[in-house]
Amino acid sequence: MTVQVRWPDGLSRQYYSPSLVLHDHLAPGMYRVDDFRSRATTALDEASARVRAKYGFACTSAAASAEEIAVDAARHPDSAEVEVVSMYPPLPVAEVASTRGVASLRPGSSSSEELS
């Protein structure tokens, strides 16, 4: 899958993941740079682990995307805002319905927040 991001300086970048697991950590919207970097890195690590479990080796594309994000994020203050513009492909409709209200999908939320 790909994630389209607009950095605080206006630069648009697209990052690749071998897994839809990014949907578990990100959704379109605004994030602090440090929060986005953390969520994206966690998701890409999980994606690489899924590849390792299935094929016996880590995904170098996921590692490359994580490195690109780290480099891009380092150009901005942690408190600046980055926008996740789009995520493709989207989750299937049944999966979207089952994740509504999940705190980890809301920009600026943490996994320890209570669901409303």
Side-chain angles (χ1 to χ4, degrees):
M1 75 169 295
T2 58
V3 176
Q4 182 74 34
V5 172
R6 184 174 303 112
W7 289 96
D9 61 3
L11 177 68
S12 288
R13 292 285 306 258
Q14 194 171 57
Y15 304 100
Y16 170 79
S17 169
S19 169
L20 295 178
V21 72
L22 280 144
H23 285 290
D24 293 347
H25 298 273
L26 294 168
M30 301 299 290
Y31 296 84
R32 282 177 44 117
V33 167
D34 57 347
D35 185 36
F36 171 75
R37 182 182 57 240
S38 176
R39 288 172 182 253
T41 300
T42 297
L44 289 164
D45 288 347
E46 287 180 27
S48 186
R50 288 181 180 192
V51 169
R52 181 182 301 280
K54 187 169 184 174
Y55 299 105
F57 53 86
C59 179
T60 57
S61 294
S65 290
E67 179 62 26
E68 290 169 2
I69 288 169
V71 168
D72 289 341
R75 295 190 341 262
H76 305 285
D78 284 346
S79 61
E81 290 198 327
V82 59
E83 180 183 8
V84 173
V85 177
S86 63
M87 300 175 75
Y88 186 83
L91 284 175
V93 175
E95 289 185 46
V96 171
S98 70
T99 60
R100 294 216 187 272
V102 175
S104 65
L105 293 178
R106 293 194 314 260
S109 67
S110 68
S111 59
S112 61
E113 288 184 14
E114 288 187 309
L115 300 177
S116 26

